[in-house]
Amino acid sequence: MVTSPKLEAYGWGERWTPGFREVASSWPDAQPGRVVRHDGSAVLAVTVDGALEHLHVPPGADPPPVVGDWVALDRSAQVVVAVVPRHSLLRRQDPGTGGEQPLVANVDVVFVVCGLDRPVKPGRIERSVTLAWDAGATPVVVLTKADLVADPERRAETVRRGGPGIDVILTSATTGDGLGEVRRRCHDSTVVLLGESGAGKSTMTNALAGGDVAATGVVRGGDSKGRHTTTARHLYPLPSGGVLVDTPGLRAVGLSVDLDAVAATFADVEATAAGCRFDDCRHDREPGCAVIEAVATGALATERWENWTGLLREAEAAERRADEHERRQHERRSGRGAREAQRRKRQGR
Ligand SMILES: Nc1nc2c(ncn2[C@@H]2O[C@H](COP(=O)(O)OP(=O)(O)OP(=O)(O)O)[C@@H](O)[C@H]2O)c(=O)[nH]1
Ligand SMILES: [Mg+2]
Ligand SMILES: [Zn+2]
């Protein structure tokens, strides 16, 4: 096994060696590394001796490496030769193409970061939590700027009640409150910060990394909107253990997820829905719908019911798109196969 204390600070360990050996088998000189930033046709990666190097990614690399990926690299040629099989992948719907956009690979925990200097939006938290479950990671809600509000505990309690089963950590980068808990959650893990511009992701990154590694920006006075200070995803090792990925504030969190991820986020609502009279209940106006019943009695908040059905429809649409894509790929492949066969026949082979 390849050991390297410098690489271990970036999360390297036995977990990754079989995958590395597998993809590097035809490259005797290949060394492991981890992508810390993506720069167009190159990546910035940390290497076995801890140096950060720009490496070329050959066009057509499959899959194209993303931040968080472990890769096999050829240092003399300064090129990425292969991507180690991923354990998890954070992805969203590409706002441009409607397809799937991979964001960060090999993620263990997603911090859903919300600033208390603005209203906390349950719908946005549920969306990000769903992305985390979809990735194969554990979501944790991190509320920042506790120093700016009079009743932070009450605000945290509201978020806890709104998203049952998910840990909520209250923090302030100004006073340092809650940062010990955040550090503990990062230990031995790769953690991604997801949240609106101005939520305080880069400020938290600096507090945990113990220096000004990431640029931060002020928010607008009127509506607390951020200025999109961070422009690229970047992975940092933490002196207290673990790895943190700072990300730009996402304008749109479109889902490209399977239905199981929505079910995990709304486990409480799904449990209620098990009591619906019809198996294919749309929880809309069907007779005997246990969900509508729960909304009527106040056991289930109207907003949570609406967010749930909204995300269900969105995930269904994403699955239909993926199926359609798969079908077209298949047709293209089999079309190509048929043409090949015809050509061989013409050539008398
Ligand atoms: N009072 C207070 N201000 C904070 C805290 N955390 C962040 N801020 C301020 O919030 C503003 C935005 O912080 P950033 O860390 O740049 O936010 P970001 O989430 O990285 O934003 P983008 O990079 O644009 O996505 C800065 O002015 C920070 O000083 C906190 O805990 N308390
Ligand atoms: Mg930032
Ligand atoms: Zn129902």
Side-chain angles (χ1 to χ4, degrees), residues 211-236:
D212 282 341
V213 295
T216 60
V218 293
V219 296
R220 284 205 305 243
D223 55 7
S224 300
K225 277 230 160 61
R227 291 159 193 261
H228 293 278
T229 308
T230 304
T231 53
R233 295 177 277 281
H234 200 304
L235 182 148
Y236 302 96

Side-chain angles (χ1 to χ4, degrees), residues 85-106:
R86 294 164 175 162
H87 285 195
S88 62
L89 178 67
L90 184 68
R91 56 185 187 155
R92 70 158 168 174
Q93 190 192 333
D94 190 316
T97 65
E100 173 186 320
Q101 181 188 28
L103 299 173
V104 186
N106 303 317

Side-chain angles (χ1 to χ4, degrees), residues 113 117-118 144-148 171-175 195-204 215-219 226-231 246-250:
V113 185
D117 55 342
R118 64 192 90 180
T144 59
K145 314 195 192 188
D147 56 291
L148 293 183
T171 69
S172 163
T174 309
T175 65
E196 281 183 336
S197 178
K201 301 179 294 297
S202 300
T203 306
M204 175 156 296
T216 60
V218 293
V219 296
R227 291 159 193 261
H228 293 278
T229 308
T230 304
T231 53
D246 188 14
T247 71
L250 297 179

Side-chain angles (χ1 to χ4, degrees), residues 6-7 9-11 33-39 42-47 50-55 65-71 73 80 103-105 190 232-237 243-247:
K6 295 279 170 59
L7 218 48
Y10 284 82
R34 192 170 202 189
V35 176
V36 306
R37 204 179 65 212
H38 198 276
D39 299 323
V43 293
L44 186 66
V46 61
T47 60
L52 291 173
E53 291 184 12
H54 286 280
L55 299 156
V66 297
V67 171
D69 262 324
W70 290 102
V71 291
L73 43 93
V80 173
L103 299 173
V104 186
T190 294
R233 295 177 277 281
H234 200 304
L235 182 148
Y236 302 96
V243 169
L244 197 64
V245 180
D246 188 14
T247 71

Side-chain angles (χ1 to χ4, degrees), residues 88-248:
S88 62
L89 178 67
L90 184 68
R91 56 185 187 155
R92 70 158 168 174
Q93 190 192 333
D94 190 316
T97 65
E100 173 186 320
Q101 181 188 28
L103 299 173
V104 186
N106 303 317
V107 182
D108 301 303
V109 177
V110 172
F111 282 172
V112 179
V113 185
C114 305
L116 289 179
D117 55 342
R118 64 192 90 180
V120 172
K121 300 181 197 122
R124 191 158 173 124
I125 295 182
E126 284 155 352
R127 239 165 219 285
S128 306
V129 163
T130 305
L131 286 193
W133 290 128
D134 172 70
T138 305
V140 174
V141 176
V142 176
L143 302 175
T144 59
K145 314 195 192 188
D147 56 291
L148 293 183
V149 292
D151 51 358
E153 274 302 341
R154 195 185 56 81
R155 300 274 300 270
E157 206 36 55
T158 307
V159 175
R160 279 191 195 103
R161 271 204 312 276
I166 293 171
D167 287 344
V168 178
I169 307 178
L170 189 58
T171 69
S172 163
T174 309
T175 65
D177 283 353
L179 292 184
E181 174 73 6
V182 168
R183 272 196 194 93
R184 207 177 52 70
R185 293 305 301 245
C186 293
H187 215 84
D188 287 334
S189 298
T190 294
V191 180
V192 176
L193 301 174
L194 267 194
E196 281 183 336
S197 178
K201 301 179 294 297
S202 300
T203 306
M204 175 156 296
T205 302
N206 289 336
L208 299 182
D212 282 341
V213 295
T216 60
V218 293
V219 296
R220 284 205 305 243
D223 55 7
S224 300
K225 277 230 160 61
R227 291 159 193 261
H228 293 278
T229 308
T230 304
T231 53
R233 295 177 277 281
H234 200 304
L235 182 148
Y236 302 96
L238 302 179
S240 50
V243 169
L244 197 64
V245 180
D246 188 14
T247 71

